[in-house]
Amino acid sequence: MSGFLDRLLGSGIPKGFVGELDRDEAVAASAPVRGGGHLVATSLGLWLPDGDGARRIGWHLVAKATWGSGVFVITEAEETEHAGDAVILADLPPVKVVVEKPGKLPQAVHQRVTGSIRSRHHRELPGGGAWFVQRKVPGQDGTVLQVRPDPGTDLDAVRVVAAEVAAKIADARGSDGLE
């Protein structure tokens, strides 16, 4: 029956898209990419062409996405380690994707990236500083504390402070009954 409804109503999945969406994953917007494939914004993340296939970056791991002059520049964050309940991130090299007909894709990406952020704060630390960001993880309840150190920041200091902040957040959630 869902195949019939998809044909009747349209699923939003672009023709020729090679990724495999999760059962409850909904397409918000898509656009063809120069050289083949599609950028597809869904409820769970941003799908990029990847070789002969496609791969999804969860919204909570899109560190930055900029749009201008027909080009998306996407910076993906990589989870490098945990410090208590906090996740330490490092940015991967930016990926440039030329989009031929963007349609609603830039707005959809912007809404989902910014919508995943619950709070953010920059803190000075030895050797630099770090961003402390609470983000919603698509498809999961609650938030995760992500910590992105600035270049040159003392990673031992980052680990200690990140674990302390994560513990304080957990204590506050427990005492308030919040998730």
Side-chain angles (χ1 to χ4, degrees):
M1 182 72 166
S2 92
F4 170 74
L5 288 175
D6 285 349
R7 286 191 304 277
L8 184 63
L9 302 173
S11 66
I13 300 172
K15 185 176 178 118
F17 176 67
V18 294
E20 289 192 32
L21 302 183
D22 284 357
R23 183 177 166 184
D24 295 329
E25 189 171 5
V27 173
S30 66
V33 171
R34 183 179 299 158
H38 295 83
L39 272 182
V40 180
T42 71
S43 53
L44 298 181
L46 182 62
W47 286 86
L48 297 104
D50 187 32
D52 291 335
R55 69 181 187 88
R56 181 181 64 215
I57 304 170
W59 292 119
H60 67 294
L61 293 175
V62 177
K64 186 175 184 181
T66 59
W67 166 252
S69 302
V71 178
F72 258 108
V73 179
I74 301 153
T75 303
E76 179 179 359
E78 173 181 54
E79 296 180 345
T80 59
E81 62 182 290
H82 286 80
D85 289 335
V87 178
I88 310 291
L89 301 177
D91 289 346
L92 297 173
V95 174
K96 293 181 181 181
V97 182
V98 178
V99 176
E100 308 213 340
K101 297 177 187 172
K104 296 179 182 179
L105 187 64
Q107 296 90 343
V109 170
H110 176 76
Q111 285 177 330
R112 280 153 185 82
V113 171
T114 58
S116 73
I117 298 170
R118 298 298 183 245
S119 71
R120 65 185 182 150
H121 174 78
H122 191 267
R123 180 167 176 174
E124 295 299 319
L125 295 168
W131 282 100
F132 290 74
V133 182
Q134 289 185 76
R135 289 184 90 167
K136 169 91 175 81
V137 178
Q140 296 181 19
D141 288 336
T143 59
V144 63
L145 175 63
Q146 298 175 326
V147 182
R148 179 178 290 104
D150 297 337
T153 304
D154 179 343
L155 287 179
D156 288 332
V158 170
R159 290 179 189 107
V160 168
V161 174
E164 289 172 356
V165 170
K168 287 179 183 177
I169 291 170
D171 287 347
R173 286 183 181 149
S175 65
D176 292 343
L178 300 175
E179 174 45 31

